[in-house]
Amino acid sequence: MTILEPYLPADFALPHAVAVALIFGLWGLYTPILKIIGRGSLNSQLHAVRLRWLQMHQGIDREHRVFDAILLGHISNSVSFFGSATLLVLAGLVGTLVNVNNLYRITRDLKFIDQGISQELFTLYFLLLTLILAMCFFAFTYALRKMAYTFAMLGGLQASRAESPEAKVMGEQSAVVLTEAVRSINAGIRGFYYAIAALFLFAGPYVAIGATLVITALLFYRQLFSPTAVAIARYVDVLKKTKA
């Protein structure tokens, strides 16, 4: 804090620092925390399914390979949509930064905005919100690149069954790249949730802390206890028993 103190607003206190750190900390440590308190993310559990899918992909006829490519193409289009939408929102935020002074004056009449917040702190919060959306955009663009790698690796898989050590390695590594692509997609989508938490910074640090914890609890519920999570866990368990 002593190094950054000259660059921070005068009313930026410990509660504000805790609120900001909690948003970025829980976003960044989301997956490691899941590994500690549960079986890991649904994406990591589904890696076994993707591995089986790509191993089965080897040795099937061309008609089924085209169907697999269509499925991956739909995923790629979805990522493109999220990336484009994020870029539009990001452009709007950057454009608003030019008139952030006017925005600050307008929000003085809003009861749910912290009326004690200074213009400098208001601008800092707006910059943090813009940073979160920028990180989401980078996550989606990186996911697109990984999907492109996956397409190339998928096209290079041999037509015969994955019985040789080389064929198994090719299938395994293709599944790894696909799982990493989905991980980047999930990181970008999760960023939207924490962008909503960052919006509560304008209402006050304690409100933002509460909103961040509620949003994180919701995400953990969906990953661990929702009907979808339970169904995926059972599916993966049966798949592993079948392979054994």
Side-chain angles (χ1 to χ4, degrees), residues 134-188:
M135 294 172 66
C136 292
F137 175 72
F138 291 143
F140 289 132
T141 54
Y142 194 27
L144 277 175
R145 293 191 64 183
K146 292 178 181 178
M147 289 300 300
Y149 302 151
T150 302
F151 294 150
M153 298 175 75
L154 187 66
L157 293 178
Q158 63 184 42
S160 60
R161 286 192 173 275
E163 296 177 349
S164 65
E166 294 80 9
K168 290 181 179 179
V169 170
M170 292 171 66
E172 290 172 356
Q173 298 311 306
S174 298
V176 169
V177 176
L178 180 56
T179 296
E180 288 299 314
V182 177
R183 179 171 287 113
S184 295
I185 298 172
N186 291 340

Side-chain angles (χ1 to χ4, degrees), residues 51-69:
L51 177 59
R52 177 179 174 84
W53 172 34
L54 293 181
Q55 288 178 339
M56 294 293 293
H57 182 89
Q58 296 172 295
I60 61 177
D61 56 34
R62 181 176 178 81
E63 180 180 353
H64 288 87
R65 284 178 175 243
V66 172
F67 180 72
D68 290 348

Side-chain angles (χ1 to χ4, degrees), residues 2 30 53 55 65 78 80-81 83 93 119 125 139 151 162 197 210 215:
T2 55
Y30 180 82
W53 172 34
Q55 288 178 339
R65 284 178 175 243
S78 298
S80 298
F81 169 78
L93 291 174
Q119 183 173 333
Y125 285 160
F151 294 150
I215 288 174

